[in-house]
Amino acid sequence: MSTTIDSQSIVEAAHARWLNVDEIICVLTNAHESLCWGTSEPILLPEEAPPTSPPTSGTILLYDRVAVRNYKVDGHDWVRKRSNQTKIREDHFKLRHHGEYRIGGTYVHSAEVDTLHRRVYRLIKTNKEKAEAGRKELVLVHYLDTD
């Protein structure tokens, strides 16, 4: 049985839950062509600048982290490190896809709303992908209120 993931289902899923590994990889690998598996629909096009107002729960944004270096400046107040109150506490994680680590990311907790979180996903490049020149360093930013 072949499953296809379309951009509409990814956007709808992002409003209700965290995206799964297949959906994240679909967005990050196919965003260069603006297509997702088996569809001709545009997925997410990379943003040119960070948001001007704090994103709401369910928002997913795509950035080229080289072009938009301050993509984490989003207007929300996040929990800070105890040892250095000027820095935001980011927890790091890796996700597996078919037994290999393919997604690296960070998540932060809101200082104002206990249930609001932001996750930032990026592809962990394989040796083949590292050899390809000119690929953008895309990150997928997902905001979700888990309440």
Side-chain angles (χ1 to χ4, degrees), residues 21-37 43 62 97 102-103 122-124 129 132 135-136 138 140:
V21 176
D22 289 327
E23 292 165 335
I24 296 165
I25 289 176
C26 175
V27 172
L28 291 174
T29 57
N30 296 303
H32 299 286
E33 295 82 31
S34 299
L35 302 174
C36 206
W37 298 325
I43 194 133
L62 192 64
H97 186 254
R102 290 291 293 139
I103 302 291
R122 63 175 174 75
L123 278 178
I124 297 173
E129 291 169 335
E132 292 178 16
R135 285 187 68 100
K136 293 183 177 184
L138 295 178
L140 178 65

Side-chain angles (χ1 to χ4, degrees), residues 1-111:
M1 181 175 155
S2 171
T3 60
T4 61
I5 301 172
D6 61 76
S7 59
Q8 187 62 32
S9 67
I10 290 174
V11 171
E12 288 173 6
H15 287 296
R17 61 173 173 79
W18 294 115
L19 299 179
N20 64 39
V21 176
D22 289 327
E23 292 165 335
I24 296 165
I25 289 176
C26 175
V27 172
L28 291 174
T29 57
N30 296 303
H32 299 286
E33 295 82 31
S34 299
L35 302 174
C36 206
W37 298 325
T39 84
S40 59
E41 297 177 41
I43 194 133
L44 293 169
L45 298 175
E47 300 285 332
E48 301 293 326
T52 56
S53 61
T56 59
S57 177
T59 302
I60 52 176
L61 302 167
L62 192 64
Y63 293 104
D64 178 354
R65 70 183 203 165
V66 174
V68 185
R69 298 192 62 78
N70 59 344
Y71 63 90
K72 293 180 183 178
V73 178
D74 55 15
H76 284 290
D77 187 22
W78 303 108
V79 172
R80 305 239 173 225
K81 289 185 174 186
R82 289 183 192 156
S83 61
N84 186 347
Q85 288 294 310
T86 61
K87 294 186 178 181
I88 293 172
R89 189 189 93 202
E90 289 186 329
D91 300 315
H92 296 260
F93 61 89
K94 290 182 183 178
L95 301 174
R96 291 178 187 258
H97 186 254
H98 298 296
E100 294 182 22
Y101 288 118
R102 290 291 293 139
I103 302 291
T106 61
Y107 63 93
V108 295
H109 306 274
S110 173

